[in-house]
Amino acid sequence: MKRTRLVGLTLVVLLLTSCSATVVHHGQADPSTNLPRGSVTTTPSRVGPLTTTTTTQPSATQTDDLTWVSPTRGWALTSTCPSAACTAVLSTTDGGSIWTPIGSIAASAGACDTGCDPNGPQVTHIRFANDLDGYAYDPNLFVTTDGGVSWHQVPGPMVAALEPAGSDVIRISYTQTGCPGPCDLTVQEASAGSAAWRLLKAPFQADSVQLVRQGVDDIYVAGFANPAGGADDAHATLWLSANGGASWTERADPCVQVGQDEYDLAALAAAPSSVVTGLCVDRGGQHSYVAVSTDGGAEFTGEQIMPGSDFFRSIAVTNASAIFLSGYTTGPNATSRFLLWASQDGGQDWKQVASESGSPSDQYPLSGFLGFENASVGRWCPGGNALWNTTDGGSSWIVQPLYPT
């Protein structure tokens, strides 16, 4: 099963003709809910060199990622595959009703399978810590200190994951890609907008990695194994910190064997009151369940297998009962449907709450966003022009275009 990412836009044609580069600043948690921006935006990051194909696909603008510093203030990272030489950044100040192109990044999209320069810089995700300080990353790192108008590539290690909370930013960086998998994944911290990173956790190894933050103190790191890696199990390893990274506790994969099938952790999400959820996927990638912890990841419960055989890859949670999964399924002629499922009883019962159609040329499974800004306001963008919004905690969702067609 691929571990992936999501986003989309089309008013970027003008931006794509003039890639610029310079520097910028950061974003923080909603004090009323203690739900940090991006803490439930959970798509594990690839680590290592990007693989490309020779398949030619029509150019189509896609959304690679979203980021929010409040329920109304957000940014989108978009790209056009395969013709784009760089990515575009859009901004909204009204919760996503209107998006304005504000800048571009001199890097191609890591989510593109074709048309990207394998030797040039690439980015896949975007995060803002506040109205000014922003970061585009995976695998290269670009920063902005003027709200996304100008971007500057930062020399140094590659960045697989990055999440702001409060006045600081935590990243997972690496310099080596062999072993297999990076041998020196390192957790580091810096003040928003600062280039001075300090060590929080000694290097570790994984095939892919995810960083989740809940508030300023609670940090969850998942190191994933390759589920297609042969006869050995593909269980992940968790590292948990409840004091901002001053100390860490190592935990085994919360996913267990169900019947004769091995289930492995594919994604994490966190919510207030020490709630942590894990998306557990079988080795074939088509059966899933959600494991729930209410003690900060010390113990997990739940083995209720999801209905159907959709490929789930992203998870969001607002409390121990309200859980959301994003996935896709492939139909006749390789057409795709991108799906959003919701549970209001901790993963026991599920219903589909939104869906989008796709085509064989779509890169959506490699991009996109699922996350909540607080207990009520959430967004789902499966990678194209459709932005789904909820203002009632996920009970109902309304779709609108992310960019003009």
Side-chain angles (χ1 to χ4, degrees):
M1 177 180 176
K2 286 187 177 179
R3 311 192 194 285
T4 52
R5 27 205 143 262
L6 288 104
V7 193
L9 295 143
T10 291
L11 216 162
V12 298
V13 177
L14 295 177
L15 293 174
L16 294 174
T17 63
S18 58
C19 298
S20 61
T22 318
V23 186
V24 190
H25 277 29
H26 187 155
Q28 60 190 30
D30 183 340
S32 66
T33 62
N34 197 33
L35 220 70
R37 310 301 172 207
S39 67
V40 290
T41 306
T42 56
T43 44
S45 297
R46 173 199 69 250
V47 283
L50 180 74
T51 58
T52 60
T53 70
T54 57
T55 303
T56 300
Q57 298 174 353
S59 297
T61 302
Q62 65 184 41
T63 307
D64 299 297
D65 202 3
L66 301 178
T67 182
W68 302 84
V69 296
S70 77
T72 58
R73 184 76 168 103
W75 293 260
L77 178 70
T78 66
S79 59
T80 303
C81 300
S83 61
C86 57
T87 55
V89 178
L90 309 188
S91 177
T92 182
T93 58
D94 62 3
S97 296
I98 299 175
W99 292 86
T100 303
I102 58 170
S104 60
I105 302 173
S108 48
C112 290
D113 272 348
T114 62
C116 298
D117 178 5
N119 299 315
Q122 297 173 344
V123 294
T124 309
H125 296 291
I126 188 170
R127 294 290 182 270
F128 269 77
N130 50 48
D131 285 345
L132 296 177
D133 298 316
Y135 305 81
Y137 65 94
D138 187 17
N140 300 109
L141 176 63
F142 286 74
V143 299
T144 178
T145 54
D146 59 10
V149 176
S150 57
W151 295 81
H152 172 71
Q153 184 175 0
V154 178
M158 292 170 280
V159 176
L162 184 149
E163 294 293 344
S167 60
D168 68 83
V169 180
I170 293 177
R171 74 180 186 182
I172 299 179
S173 64
Y174 64 101
T175 61
Q176 304 179 48
T177 59
C179 286
C183 307
D184 62 344
L185 287 162
T186 304
V187 183
Q188 300 171 309
E189 180 185 47
S191 297
S194 171
W197 295 90
R198 68 181 186 90
L199 180 68
L200 289 184
K201 186 184 180 315
F204 60 96
Q205 179 185 336
D207 287 308
S208 59
V209 66
Q210 185 182 2
L211 168 65
V212 175
R213 301 188 68 181
Q214 173 52 52
V216 174
D217 293 327
D218 295 337
I219 308 170
Y220 307 93
V221 175
F224 301 99
N226 184 358
D232 295 338
D233 69 53
H235 288 310
T237 302
L238 298 183
W239 292 274
L240 318 175
S241 176
N243 53 15
S247 61
W248 296 84
T249 300
E250 183 175 328
R251 299 289 186 187
D253 193 320
C255 304
V256 299
Q257 183 162 316
V258 180
Q260 301 299 313
D261 298 324
E262 174 192 326
Y263 281 76
D264 306 302
L265 184 67
L268 280 176
S273 301
S274 301
V275 173
V276 187
T277 56
L279 171 60
C280 299
V281 179
D282 70 351
R283 292 293 291 273
Q286 289 187 293
H287 299 285
S288 308
Y289 75 89
V290 173
V292 179
S293 172
T294 57
D295 56 9
E299 300 289 340
F300 286 82
T301 60
E303 299 175 19
Q304 184 67 39
I305 305 301
M306 288 278 298
S309 58
D310 302 325
F311 292 92
F312 292 104
R313 63 198 183 282
S314 300
I315 183 170
V317 58
T318 58
N319 57 58
S321 298
I323 306 171
F324 304 85
L325 293 178
S326 172
Y328 68 99
T329 185
T330 302
N333 302 317
T335 56
S336 298
R337 289 180 64 231
F338 307 98
L339 310 169
L340 180 63
W341 288 74
S343 173
Q344 297 295 334
D345 58 7
Q348 296 302 303
D349 299 292
W350 294 87
K351 69 174 182 178
Q352 184 181 313
V353 293
S355 67
E356 282 293 327
S357 299
S359 68
S361 64
D362 287 334
Q363 295 295 309
Y364 300 175
L366 297 176
S367 59
F369 178 89
L370 172 63
F372 280 76
E373 294 313 302
N374 54 41
S376 299
V377 179
R379 278 97 178 185
W380 175 56
C381 178
N385 188 30
L387 176 62
W388 290 80
N389 301 275
T390 181
T391 57
D392 58 8
S395 296
S396 60
W397 296 78
I398 298 174
V399 66
Q400 65 188 57
L402 184 63
Y403 49 88
T405 57

